[in-house]
């Protein structure tokens, strides 16, 4: 599955949604990949990805450590390494750990693609021009990943 | 040389925040405050939209408490169109809302704020999270939390169409009645929900209250402020999440104000500081007298501890019993910020009991669920107790119901002054002559994590992106030293 996280009225924060919508058009008629948008986080994300063999999670991030438009990628291996890096993050790594320990069936392969954005905090239903320009590359990277999984 | 210390961002909160600590020339703390990232453009975004779209739009503000916004907005529409929902509709809304409260509070207790206590404030930082909670209380508990949450959300899905961004509330009622064929299943979930709340209270009592060190920490001066307390109460002046009048208690536990939400502007005003874009709501009758405690100060507090202080008691029997024990141990009113964790568990119990009451009420499956609005709209105000405190939506429209102005007083703002005081108190105790005590980061965080502040931002939970850093800045704002982990 491809799962986009974000807020659809907070401008660039919705870049994952825009990506999924484009993927939906481009993949029309090709089954095998569920394309899902959600405004939720945390435990609710586990409910959404449970039962899938492989999942890509799309999100917008603001690290200010890389230029806007940069795609950051994380894998499950990163999660192993990063777990506990900060005492107060209830992020995906911890939640995945909890899910697996409690017997939920989590994807064996999980990738996170996060696009660095500048303005995820202004209400609006469109992307800023810079983010819009980065969108095709974000879509392409997601398609490459799906292709490498045989989709 | 005066310096600024920034702790940015605050992790394990819903959304992101940043703490700024200003040092004076001696290196002692001059002032400290919490900076919340501003979401811009909501006014412009909402202008000209049909008012009836607001329950759908405002719930998108936050990925964490959409239901609170949805309900406050729906109630603002009732007021806007001068329409009273039929009793069944009110009960369905209340059912939906209490399910949300139970689920959301459980999330905080087990995942966000509670780990500090369940795992222990002095436990290694790597363990003070949900993984640590499972380590401490057992894997079965983790399974229970996940499964309970999922089942509660089943009820919300049936009633609201979906959990996130429900389409339940309409001006004058709700969109869907409770399907009689689902009632037996709902009651089963409700029964288990009550068991779950009882179990959570037991976990809290066994781990926290039986440990003198924890109780000492809760009641310590560093985490104590004597402020006013605000919360919604029902007709019997008991804690109410869905509705009622607003009641304000003084630091001595005397009622100092009580009003219908429509009149809130006569009772609440907002103070602005030059160093922050956060507004600090205060009690208008008392006036703004700075970040000060006491009966003369206009500073008030919201959220679980404040709600329990503002009411005469809990609205359900088991929660009432639990609250009596709470006040017996901590005194009344309770002024200890960390007591919010305990009050939250007591509220879980009330929510669970109320869900059971409502599902056993013969009216809950009634079909009269809507009063059709006919009045010409002008202005509407709605309020609920969000998990994080009193949430107010205020809309002004033109005669066809298009939004001219939308003002939201979100729950976390109700605590903004007190949070600033908590952060400052903790910082003052831990920074002397420019020496930053190692315990600073966690203690300062603990001081406000108890409020369960929600910054209503987008919900990013990627790994590694939320490191905790402390920046010391010189008077020109340059970073001269940075600590991070």
């Amino acid at each position: 599955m491809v799962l986009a996280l974000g807020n659809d009225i907070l401008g660039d924060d919705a870049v994952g949604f825009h990506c999924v919508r484009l993927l939906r058009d481009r993949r029309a008629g090709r089954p095998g990949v569920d394309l899902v948008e959600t405004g939720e986080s945390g435990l609710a994300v586990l409910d959404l990805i449970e039962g899938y063999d492989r999942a890509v999670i799309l999100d917008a991030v603001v690290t200010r450590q890389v230029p806007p438009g940069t795609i950051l990628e994380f894998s499950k291996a990163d999660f192993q390494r990063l777990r506990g890096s900060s005492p107060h993050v209830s992020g995906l790594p911890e939640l995945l750990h909890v899910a697996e320990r409690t017997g939920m069936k989590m994807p064996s392969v999980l990738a996170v693609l996060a696009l660095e954005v500048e303005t995820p905090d202004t209400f609006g239903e469109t992307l800023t021009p810079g983010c819009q320009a980065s969108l095709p590359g974000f879509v392409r990277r997601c398609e490459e990943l799906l292709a490498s999984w045989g989709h | 040389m005066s310096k600024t210390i920034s702790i940015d961002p605050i992790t394990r909160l819903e959304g992101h925040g940043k703490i700024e600590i200003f040092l004076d020339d001696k290196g002692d703390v001059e002032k400290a405050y919490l900076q919340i990232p501003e979401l811009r453009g909501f006014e412009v975004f909402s202008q000209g939209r049909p008012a009836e779209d607001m329950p759908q739009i405002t719930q998108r503000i936050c990925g964490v408490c959409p239901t609170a916004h949805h309900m406050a907005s729906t109630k603002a529409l009732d007021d806007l169109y001068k329409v009273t929902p039929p009793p069944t509709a009110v009960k369905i809304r209340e059912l939906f809302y209490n399910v949300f409260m139970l689920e959301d509070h459980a999330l905080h207790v087990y995942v966000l704020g509670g780990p500090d206590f369940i795992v222990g404030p002095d436990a290694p930082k790597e363990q003070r999270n949900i993984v640590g909670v499972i380590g401490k209380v057992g894997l079965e508990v983790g399974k229970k939390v996940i499964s309970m949450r999922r089942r509660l959300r089943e009820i919300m899905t049936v009633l609201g169409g979906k959990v996130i961004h429900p389409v339940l509330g309409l001006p004058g009622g709700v969109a869907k009645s409770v399907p009689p064929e689902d009632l037996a299943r709902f009651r089963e979930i409700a029964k288990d929900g009550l068991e779950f709340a009882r179990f959570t209270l037991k976990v809290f009592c066994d781990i926290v209250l039986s440990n003198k060190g924890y109780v000492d920490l809760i009641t310590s001066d560093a985490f104590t402020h004597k402020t006013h307390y605000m919360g919604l109460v029902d007709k019997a002046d008991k804690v109410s999440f869905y509705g009622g009048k607003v009641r304000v208690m003084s630091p001595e536990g005397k009622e100092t104000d009580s009003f219908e939400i429509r009149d809130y502007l006569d009772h609440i005003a907002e103070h602005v500081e030059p160093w922050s874009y956060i507004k600090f709501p205060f009690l208008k009758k008392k006036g703004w007298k700075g970040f000060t405690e006491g009966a003369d100060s206009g500073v008030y507090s919201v959220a679980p501890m404040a709600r329990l202080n503002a009411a005469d008691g809990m609205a359900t029997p088991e929660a009432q019993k639990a609250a009596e024990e709470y006040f017996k141990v901590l005194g009344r009113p309770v002024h200890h910020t960390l007591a919010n964790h305990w009050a939250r568990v007591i509220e879980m119990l009330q929510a669970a009991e109320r869900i059971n009451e409502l599902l056993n009420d013969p009216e809950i499956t009634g079909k009269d669920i809507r009063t059709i609005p006919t009045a010409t709209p002008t202005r509407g105000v709605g309020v609920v107790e969000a998990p994080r405190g009193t949430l107010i939506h205020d809309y002004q429209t033109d005669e066809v119901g298009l939004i001219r102005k939308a003002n939201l007083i979100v729950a976390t703002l109700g605590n903004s002054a007190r949070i600033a005081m908590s952060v400052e108190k903790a910082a003052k105790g831990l920074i002397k002559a420019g020496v930053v005590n190692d315990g600073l980061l966690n203690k300062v965080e603990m001081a406000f994590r108890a409020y369960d502040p929600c910054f209503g931002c987008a919900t990013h939970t990627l790994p590694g992106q939320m490191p905790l850093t402390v920046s010391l800045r010189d008077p020109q704002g340059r970073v001269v030293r940075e600590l991070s982990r």
Side-chain angles (χ1 to χ4, degrees), chain A residues 5-10 13 38-47 50 57 59-63 65 74-75 78-79 82-95 97-99 101-104 106 112-114 118-125, chain B residues 11-14 37-43 45 49 57-58 60-64 107 111-112 116 124-126 128-131 134-135 139 142-143 145-146 149-150 153 163-165 441-442 445 449 456-468 485:
Chain A
L5 308 182
N7 183 329
D8 55 359
I9 59 166
L10 267 184
D13 191 51
T38 182
E40 295 200 89
S41 65
L43 287 170
V45 172
L46 296 185
D47 291 344
E50 186 180 16
I57 292 177
D59 201 357
V61 288
V62 183
T63 65
Q65 289 162 21
F74 303 94
S75 67
D78 294 321
F79 290 172
L82 286 161
R83 189 187 316 137
S85 63
S86 166
H88 304 308
V89 178
S90 276
L92 269 176
E94 289 164 357
L95 293 170
H97 178 80
V98 169
R101 284 194 60 191
T102 53
M104 289 173 82
M106 287 291 114
V112 175
L113 298 184
E118 277 183 288
T119 43
D121 51 5
T122 302
F123 284 99
E125 289 163 301
Chain B
T11 55
R12 211 206 305 143
L13 292 169
E14 304 290 20
E38 186 184 26
L39 295 180
R40 291 182 291 265
F42 185 71
E43 285 277 315
F45 186 82
R49 292 180 186 261
I57 291 170
T58 55
R60 284 175 160 75
I61 291 172
C62 176
V64 177
L107 181 71
V111 181
L112 299 169
D116 280 338
K125 60 189 180 191
E126 294 80 9
R128 285 197 311 271
N129 52 40
I130 177 73
V131 180
I134 287 180
L139 196 55
K143 284 185 182 167
V145 173
I146 288 169
R149 191 164 177 271
R150 185 175 288 176
R153 287 158 70 92
V163 175
I164 183 117
H165 309 157
L441 303 187
N442 193 49
E445 271 196 285
R449 210 157 45 224
C457 300
T459 48
H460 304 279
T461 47
L462 286 182
Q465 72 172 100
M466 295 201 277
L468 191 63
R485 55 185 177 196

Side-chain angles (χ1 to χ4, degrees), chain A residues 40 43-44, chain B residues 64 67 97-109 148-150 152-153 156 163 196 348 351 355:
Chain A
E40 295 200 89
L43 287 170
Chain B
V64 177
T67 308
Y97 200 67
N98 276 280
V99 171
F100 159 70
M101 286 294 279
L102 177 57
E103 185 227 320
D104 195 276
H105 271 3
L107 181 71
H108 192 276
V109 169
M148 197 64 245
R149 191 164 177 271
R150 185 175 288 176
L152 288 170
R153 287 158 70 92
M156 295 176 76
V163 175
F196 177 68
M348 279 176 69
I355 294 165

Side-chain angles (χ1 to χ4, degrees), chain A residues 69 118 128-135:
Chain A
E118 277 183 288
T128 58
C131 188
Q132 187 69 47
S134 306
L135 184 58

Side-chain angles (χ1 to χ4, degrees), chain B residues 144-286:
Chain B
K144 214 180 240 187
V145 173
I146 288 169
S147 130
M148 197 64 245
R149 191 164 177 271
R150 185 175 288 176
R151 293 176 64 210
L152 288 170
R153 287 158 70 92
E154 257 179 67
I155 299 182
M156 295 176 76
T157 306
V158 171
L159 295 179
K162 45 193 176 166
V163 175
I164 183 117
H165 309 157
V167 281
L168 179 77
L170 298 170
V174 290
K176 189 178 176 183
S177 57
V178 174
E181 65 273 19
D182 286 323
L183 203 55
R185 185 164 58 98
F186 283 6
R187 282 180 182 153
E188 202 56 40
I189 297 172
K191 227 172 78 192
D192 293 347
L194 181 55
E195 270 311 312
F196 177 68
R198 286 174 181 148
F199 167 80
T200 305
L201 184 66
K202 189 172 180 305
V203 167
F204 191 85
C205 291
D206 287 353
I207 294 177
V208 180
L209 300 180
S210 64
N211 185 328
K212 190 175 174 303
Y214 288 2
V215 178
D216 288 347
L217 184 69
I218 291 173
T219 55
S220 66
D221 182 60
F223 297 110
T224 300
H225 299 286
K226 293 178 177 168
T227 62
H228 287 83
Y229 300 99
M230 180 184 287
L232 287 179
V233 291
D234 63 16
K235 284 185 180 128
D237 287 333
K238 302 289 171 63
V239 169
S240 171
F241 305 133
Y242 172 77
K245 64 180 181 189
V246 181
R247 195 180 195 208
V248 181
M249 283 288 190
S250 74
E252 293 86 28
K254 292 194 185 85
E255 181 182 303
T256 53
D257 208 354
S258 169
F259 56 92
E260 296 296 331
I261 198 58
R262 201 154 211 288
D263 306 321
Y264 81 97
L265 289 173
D266 297 332
H267 301 264
I268 301 170
E270 291 179 314
H271 171 75
V272 179
E273 285 279 330
W275 43 261
S276 175
Y277 47 69
I278 304 171
K279 289 172 179 163
F280 298 92
F282 63 94
L283 302 170
K284 218 169 176 175
K285 286 181 185 167
K286 298 284 175 186

